[in-house]
Amino acid sequence: MDADNQQERPREITSYISGFVDGEGCFSITIQKSSNVKLGIQVIPEFHVSQHQNRTEVLKVIKEKLGCGYIKPNDPGNPKDQTSVYVVRNISDLRDKVIPFFKKSPLISIKQHDFEKFARVVNLMREGGHLKKNSLITILEIAYSMNFSGKYRKQKLEDIISHLESSETVRQKSYLKE
């Protein structure tokens, strides 16, 4: 391989990864009720890419290029699931490694819109938005507009916001009793 081709290789890998993620990856925001967090709603941003377990070398290349995350069986409790998944959940890694990578090498499908929303949520969280009621509602609205407008979510946005409102009322009442 001559010097010109060697210089092209990093760009080829970057483009390959973006294309692969466009087909097999996902930027998602998990929302769950939790009594362990200030507002009773936990926000978990996650970037993941899945692939059949006999082709995990692709996941290893992505992990090496991004320099973060981990690879695991997708559903180890299900013997029929033979996929592995590369996962990044760490806010700093998402902000400092994953998001800059995909800003430099954007996706070409509609998934780019989900990435942009994902980046916005990670930025809001970095600023502590998940700890403030109004910003948390904004995060919830963004999350529910992603990935087919929350089509596969188990809980409705209205129910999550209602939970947020009711748990805040309970905290206020307990504070007043003290």
Side-chain angles (χ1 to χ4, degrees), residues 14-86:
T14 299
S15 296
Y16 176 82
I17 290 171
S18 289
F20 196 84
V21 167
D22 226 339
E24 304 297 332
C26 184
F27 299 93
S28 65
I29 309 294
T30 298
I31 307 295
Q32 58 190 29
K33 296 174 186 174
S34 173
S35 59
N36 298 326
V37 294
K38 180 180 176 184
L39 296 175
I41 303 291
Q42 186 174 17
V43 178
I44 305 167
E46 177 179 293
F47 164 65
H48 69 260
V49 186
S50 58
Q51 187 62 21
H52 192 278
Q53 66 188 11
N54 67 7
R55 294 188 296 272
T56 59
E57 65 274 358
V58 176
L59 302 179
K60 291 175 185 174
V61 167
I62 297 169
K63 180 181 183 292
E64 182 179 322
K65 181 70 175 171
L66 293 176
C68 60
Y70 56 93
I71 298 170
K72 68 177 189 77
N74 187 48
D75 185 358
N78 180 356
K80 291 183 180 182
D81 187 343
Q82 296 189 359
T83 57
S84 293
V85 63
Y86 166 63

Side-chain angles (χ1 to χ4, degrees), residues 4 10 12 18 21 54 64 135 159 165:
D4 289 336
E12 290 173 11
S18 289
V21 167
N54 67 7
E64 182 179 322
S135 297
D159 294 341
E165 301 285 346

Side-chain angles (χ1 to χ4, degrees), residues 126-166:
R126 183 187 65 163
E127 296 168 356
H130 59 298
L131 304 174
K132 302 171 196 155
K133 182 181 166 192
N134 289 338
S135 297
L136 178 56
I137 290 173
T138 298
I139 289 170
L140 294 171
E141 290 169 343
I142 294 168
Y144 270 76
S145 74
M146 296 172 61
N147 304 318
F148 305 104
S149 296
K151 179 179 174 180
Y152 299 104
R153 291 195 182 267
K154 293 178 181 171
Q155 295 184 324
K156 294 180 182 177
L157 176 60
E158 300 77 26
D159 294 341
I160 296 288
I161 292 174
S162 176
H163 174 76
L164 176 63
E165 301 285 346
S166 66

